[in-house]
């Protein structure tokens, strides 16, 4: 049985197949409308979410399946002190596959050890968010036509932003990817990513978004992760460190695309939404197709 705990759980070839499947789902949704008849997805969300949870739920419904679950720790037995290991053993009796989001790094991995159904890590603390990475890869491949030979700027909270950590992990496997890591010094990528994952790759760490703009093929904006700060003052000091607006967009290539895992706070001004290069709402739609492809793959229905 397979789980999705990290973006590296699929080989590059398997990822290609998964993204091909997602594109086929986009083109021929009717072909897939009953593939999960009689199957259940459990969404176990111990941390707030709108997109990820509803995107998994919509994906399962589009496949003809059903959904059960909870959307906060306080409404689950975690509030009574139940461990994720016990919860997953029980959920394994109710559902065929589950997506788990948890504030503690590694919780979905711990769950997978006791699970008899596939576990999808839907975000674990400041660590990883592999299904968002699948979404990002599908968006990039669909809009740029490739996953190699690109300069990608990752901007904002690179320390706590789990989507950034997972995306870097995934992209280092493609040829000629250059990373421009744009953040205040306090919010740089964690050293385990800089020293282990990025060690043999081309990357630079800068603090000016304006300076980086002209060379980027992709700009991946992120929110400052308020809930992971130890004190509110630091958050307030850094929350508006980058604001992408129309003026900054004039510095970018005509075919650059702007991505954001959402939710956005202030880091992209709404005036940018109408720019044809703003792709973050299209990214949300790709998230449903790729999660449909993921569910089918993990349930071995393809
Ligand atoms: C992201 C997350 O939860 O890490 N959101 C999402 O799943 N699309 C990004 C964020 O919360 O900033």
């Amino acid at each position: 049985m397979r789980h999705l705990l990290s973006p590296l759980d699929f080989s590059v070839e398997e990822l290609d197949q998964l993204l091909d499947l997602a594109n086929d789902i986009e083109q021929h949704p009717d072909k897939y409308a009953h593939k999960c008849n009689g199957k259940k997805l459990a969404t176990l969300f111990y941390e707030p979410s709108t997109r990820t949870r509803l995107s998994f739920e919509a994906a399962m419904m589009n496949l003809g399946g059903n959904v059960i679950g909870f959307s906060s720790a306080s409404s689950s037995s975690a509030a009574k002190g139940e461990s994720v290991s016990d919860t997953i053993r029980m959920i394994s009796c109710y559902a065929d596959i589950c997506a788990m989001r948890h504030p503690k790094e590694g919780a979905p991995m711990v769950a997978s050890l006791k699970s008899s159904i596939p576990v999808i890590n839907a975000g674990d603390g400041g660590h990883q968010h592999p299904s968002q990475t699948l979404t990002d890869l599908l968006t990039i491949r669909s809009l740029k036509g490739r996953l190699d030979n690109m300069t990608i700027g990752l901007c904002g909270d690179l320390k706590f932003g789990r989507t950034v950590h997972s995306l870097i992990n995934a992209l280092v496997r493609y040829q000629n990817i250059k990373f421009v890591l744009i953040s205040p010094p306090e919010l740089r990528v964690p050293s385990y990513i800089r020293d282990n994952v990025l060690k043999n790759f081309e990357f630079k760490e800068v603090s000016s978004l304006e300076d980086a703009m002209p060379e980027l093929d992709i700009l991946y904006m992120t929110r400052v992760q308020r809930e992971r700060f130890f004190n509110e003052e630091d958050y307030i000091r850094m929350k508006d460190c980058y604001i992408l607006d129309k003026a900054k967009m004039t510095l970018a290539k005509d075919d650059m695309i702007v991505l954001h895992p959402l939710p956005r706070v202030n880091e992209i001004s709404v005036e940018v939404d109408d720019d044809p290069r703003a792709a973050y709402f299209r990214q949300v739609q790709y998230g449903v197709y790729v999660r449909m492809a993921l569910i089918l793959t993990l349930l071995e229905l393809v």
Side-chain angles (χ1 to χ4, degrees):
M1 192 192 23
R2 294 191 74 161
H3 307 287
L4 178 69
L5 302 173
S6 135
L8 303 181
D9 290 346
F10 288 112
S11 68
V12 171
E13 292 71 35
E14 287 172 328
L15 264 180
D16 270 344
Q17 283 167 15
L18 193 125
L19 301 185
D20 288 345
L21 176 60
N23 284 137
D24 196 58
I25 290 169
E26 178 186 7
Q27 299 301 319
H28 310 284
D30 293 349
K31 241 168 78 180
Y32 298 90
H34 301 288
K35 288 268 186 198
C36 282
N37 279 2
K39 301 278 184 205
K40 284 194 227 67
L41 164 79
T43 50
L44 316 178
F45 277 64
Y46 296 86
E47 224 189 29
S49 167
T50 308
R51 249 154 315 276
T52 305
R53 184 170 60 84
L54 297 184
S55 167
F56 270 114
E57 296 189 358
M60 191 52 156
M61 288 174 180
N62 290 345
L63 294 166
N66 291 306
V67 179
I68 56 173
F70 53 83
S71 58
S72 73
S74 59
S75 67
S76 78
S77 282
K80 299 181 186 168
E82 187 172 57
S83 67
V84 289
S85 299
D86 281 2
T87 303
I88 197 69
R89 290 178 81 155
M90 189 231 0
I91 297 292
S92 297
C93 305
Y94 300 155
D96 302 280
I97 183 166
C98 85
M100 176 185 284
R101 167 169 291 190
H102 203 285
K104 286 216 179 91
E105 285 81 4
M109 194 274 285
V110 169
S112 72
L113 301 174
K114 286 279 157 54
S115 180
S116 49
I117 57 173
V119 175
I120 299 166
N121 175 4
D124 61 330
H127 187 217
Q128 298 271 3
H129 193 345
S131 73
Q132 179 65 46
T133 297
L134 300 180
T135 304
D136 302 339
L137 295 178
L138 179 65
T139 309
I140 295 170
R141 204 184 74 162
S142 302
L143 300 182
K144 302 292 288 180
R146 64 184 193 279
L147 287 170
D148 50 12
N149 296 305
M150 274 178 313
T151 300
I152 174 161
L154 299 149
C155 178
D157 185 348
L158 310 186
K159 179 178 181 185
F160 297 116
R162 56 194 173 193
T163 62
V164 167
H165 305 160
S166 289
L167 186 56
I168 292 175
N169 258 293
L171 282 176
V172 291
R173 300 196 291 180
Y174 297 89
Q175 295 294 311
N176 194 26
I177 298 288
K178 295 184 190 129
F179 296 95
V180 184
L181 306 175
I182 309 153
S183 73
E186 295 99 316
L187 296 181
R188 286 191 188 146
V189 287
S191 54
Y192 79 91
I193 301 238
R194 189 182 314 106
D195 301 341
N196 304 340
V197 186
L198 285 167
K199 195 168 60 188
N200 299 318
F201 295 92
E202 195 172 336
F203 75 97
K204 59 183 172 186
E205 295 185 288
V206 300
S207 54
S208 164
L209 174 57
E210 284 89 336
D211 290 352
M213 239 18 210
E215 64 176 312
L216 305 179
D217 299 304
I218 296 168
L219 172 59
Y220 193 93
M221 293 296 294
T222 62
R223 149 185 94 86
V224 176
Q225 305 277 302
R226 177 181 205 162
E227 65 276 35
R228 313 221 187 277
F229 274 69
F230 292 113
N231 71 67
E232 184 76 0
E233 272 162 45
D234 284 349
Y235 168 71
I236 290 170
R237 188 163 49 81
M238 280 181 277
K239 71 183 173 70
D240 292 328
C241 51
Y242 299 104
I243 298 180
L244 181 66
D245 54 16
K246 266 190 172 165
K248 292 195 188 79
M249 287 299 284
T250 62
L251 305 168
K253 291 182 185 171
D254 290 342
D255 64 350
M256 186 194 78
I257 55 170
V258 184
L259 302 182
H260 191 309
L262 303 178
R264 139 176 78 183
V265 187
N266 282 332
E267 58 282 353
I268 304 181
S269 159
V270 288
E271 65 186 21
V272 176
D273 295 358
D274 296 331
D275 190 303
R277 295 168 290 184
Y280 30 92
F281 290 114
R282 277 174 281 167
Q283 196 178 350
V284 175
Q285 181 65 66
Y286 284 120
V288 180
Y289 301 135
V290 95
R291 289 184 173 98
M292 290 170 74
L294 176 64
I295 292 170
L296 290 175
T297 304
L298 293 179
L299 289 177
E300 297 177 4
L301 294 173
V302 281

